[in-house]
Amino acid sequence: MALPHVLLGLLQLSPMTGYDLKKHLDTSISHLWSADKAQVYRTLASLVDDGLANVKVVRGHNFPDRQEHHITDKGREVLREWLLGPNEKQAVREPFLIRVFNAGLLEPEELEVLFTARLRSLEGEIAEFNAEREALGDAAARAGDRRSFLMAATLEASIVKLEAELKWIKSTIKQLKNLPV
């Protein structure tokens, strides 16, 4: 998956400015994808150049004009083809696991600090996502639509992955305590 598909997916929800898109990335789907402001604006320009989105200037009253991006029919078709296309192999980057892989040189107390810090971080993320899930789940139940349900389901998938890592960390901490020094 690439950022153009992410942005097309957001634009199919509603027209947005670059600022709005960045805000959505940082809030509603941060558990799935991230991009910096420059990447968002560069990609938006490409979407417009390729005819997948167009820009409409919305005149501002007492504030600057807004450049709203709208998905085009061609953009919807590209998004649809991507949705129905084959699943790409995903590049995996696991910074914490790279630390663990290389942590053999640490002393037992240092290992405990490493794992405990990650454990606390995961607990915080899980609590945050659970709060988001409850809010989104309530909204999805009220809306009763497939789109809201699927958005909540992506949050659930992220929670399940974090909980699995948390379980693994707890098990690894326990096993480390049984290893000879």
Side-chain angles (χ1 to χ4, degrees):
M1 175 168 56
L3 186 57
H5 295 112
V6 174
L7 297 184
L8 286 172
L10 290 172
L11 288 175
Q12 58 107 13
L13 298 174
S14 70
M16 294 185 215
T17 65
Y19 174 83
D20 295 333
L21 286 163
K22 176 64 175 138
K23 189 172 157 185
H24 267 283
L25 280 168
D26 291 346
T27 56
S28 65
I29 62 170
S30 63
H31 61 288
L32 303 174
W33 200 269
S34 66
D36 64 38
K37 189 168 120 178
Q39 290 172 306
V40 169
Y41 283 95
R42 217 174 20 253
T43 303
L44 273 175
S46 294
L47 292 175
V48 171
D49 289 346
D50 295 342
L52 305 178
N54 58 38
V55 180
K56 293 183 181 170
V57 176
V58 178
R59 298 284 173 217
H61 305 289
N62 299 327
F63 54 87
D65 294 347
R66 296 170 31 102
Q67 290 192 356
E68 271 189 350
H69 294 79
H70 296 250
I71 190 169
T72 63
D73 289 340
K74 183 179 176 185
R76 274 188 198 81
E77 186 55 35
V78 166
L79 180 60
R80 185 174 179 72
E81 287 172 10
W82 173 75
L83 289 168
L84 295 171
N87 287 310
E88 309 92 4
K89 182 175 177 168
Q90 298 176 21
V92 177
R93 291 186 178 158
E94 294 282 354
F96 178 73
L97 292 181
I98 291 297
R99 286 181 179 198
V100 171
F101 184 85
N102 290 295
L105 63 97
L106 297 179
E107 296 297 324
E109 309 80 44
E110 294 171 316
L111 285 169
E112 188 171 339
V113 168
L114 174 71
F115 279 93
T116 301
R118 182 63 181 156
L119 184 135
R120 299 288 173 247
S121 174
L122 286 169
E123 290 172 337
E125 287 180 66
I126 291 168
E128 183 181 312
F129 284 173
N130 276 325
E132 287 180 41
R133 176 181 57 184
E134 287 178 30
L136 190 56
D138 291 345
R142 282 192 304 276
D145 67 16
R146 184 176 39 225
R147 179 178 285 164
S148 298
F149 169 79
L150 292 171
M151 288 176 179
T154 64
L155 197 51
E156 178 68 27
S158 295
I159 292 167
V160 168
K161 287 178 182 180
L162 292 173
E163 288 173 339
E165 184 180 350
L166 185 63
K167 181 180 176 183
W168 170 79
I169 285 182
K170 288 178 179 179
S171 171
T172 303
I173 289 171
K174 193 181 290 185
Q175 292 174 51
L176 278 170
K177 289 179 181 179
N178 294 326
L179 288 177
V181 176

